[in-house]
Amino acid sequence: MSTGGEVYTQAGGPVAPIATSPPIVELAQLVARIFAASYTLVSRTTIAVLLSLLAPISLLYSPIAYLLAPVFVFTSVILDVFVFTPYAIVVAVARNVYPIYVFVGCAAICAALIGFSARMLSEGIKRMLFGPRRPREEQGDDAPVPASEPKEKSAMKSSTAPKTRVRKRVSIKEERDR
């Protein structure tokens, strides 16, 4: 007797299971194979064409490189002197100064925090001991108004500014004669 998922024919032998994948899967696999083959063909053809077109340029490269060698060497030396060496120096200095920079920065931040905390603490103690300050508008007429004292009597009498005497210019020679 059979026990489950096997299918038998009339002759009594087992039959191979039937493929159950939908046809779209087979079509997708066929399209993927065609795209892979065409990509390989196009890429290899493109490389072959480019190499055949660039072959004459490679023949001209050597003489041009020999003719422009002084320019290449001069450019290399100028770049070394004015770009790469200063950059290497700045990087080395920055790498060596970085720990000091971090230490001083942390010290400054800690000092600012401690100073701010001390200011707030002293302000709090002052307010606890003396109470909050009242604004000037709330003080009213109780507060004494400072009296202004006259600086000069003549300025009080006239409404114009005090007159100053014009000094006569005298040369050194005239002073000797006097």
Side-chain angles (χ1 to χ4, degrees):
M1 281 253 112
S2 98
T3 59
E6 296 177 7
V7 178
Y8 288 93
T9 61
Q10 287 180 353
V15 176
I18 301 172
T20 59
S21 65
I24 191 76
V25 173
E26 293 176 13
L27 181 64
Q29 289 174 350
L30 177 67
V31 170
R33 287 186 197 132
I34 290 172
F35 276 135
S38 64
Y39 174 75
T40 303
L41 178 70
V42 168
S43 65
R44 288 186 182 178
T45 305
T46 306
I47 290 173
V49 168
L50 284 177
L51 289 178
S52 65
L53 290 176
L54 295 177
I57 294 176
S58 67
L59 294 174
L60 294 175
Y61 174 71
S62 295
I64 292 174
Y66 282 116
L67 289 174
L68 294 177
V71 174
F72 294 150
V73 170
F74 180 73
T75 305
S76 173
V77 168
I78 293 296
L79 282 174
D80 280 343
V81 169
F82 291 111
V83 176
F84 299 132
T85 303
Y87 178 74
I89 291 170
V90 167
V91 166
V93 167
R95 188 177 296 137
N96 290 328
V97 172
Y98 182 74
I100 298 169
Y101 165 74
V102 170
F103 176 74
V104 170
C106 288
I109 291 171
C110 289
L113 288 175
I114 290 172
F116 183 73
S117 300
R119 178 180 176 198
M120 289 294 115
L121 183 67
S122 67
E123 190 71 26
I125 291 172
K126 185 174 85 171
R127 285 190 182 187
M128 277 187 354
L129 293 177
F130 301 115
R133 289 181 87 180
R134 292 188 306 172
R136 288 271 183 198
E137 294 105 24
E138 291 181 9
Q139 288 180 358
D141 295 332
D142 300 346
V145 177
S148 61
E149 294 184 19
K151 294 182 181 178
E152 194 175 307
K153 292 181 181 178
S154 63
M156 293 299 288
K157 291 180 184 176
S158 67
S159 62
T160 61
K163 295 180 180 178
T164 57
R165 283 184 17 189
V166 179
R167 295 182 65 189
K168 181 180 174 184
R169 293 186 151 198
V170 180
S171 67
I172 296 174
K173 187 177 181 182
E174 288 178 1
E175 281 186 14
R176 285 186 198 162
D177 293 339
R178 288 186 183 184

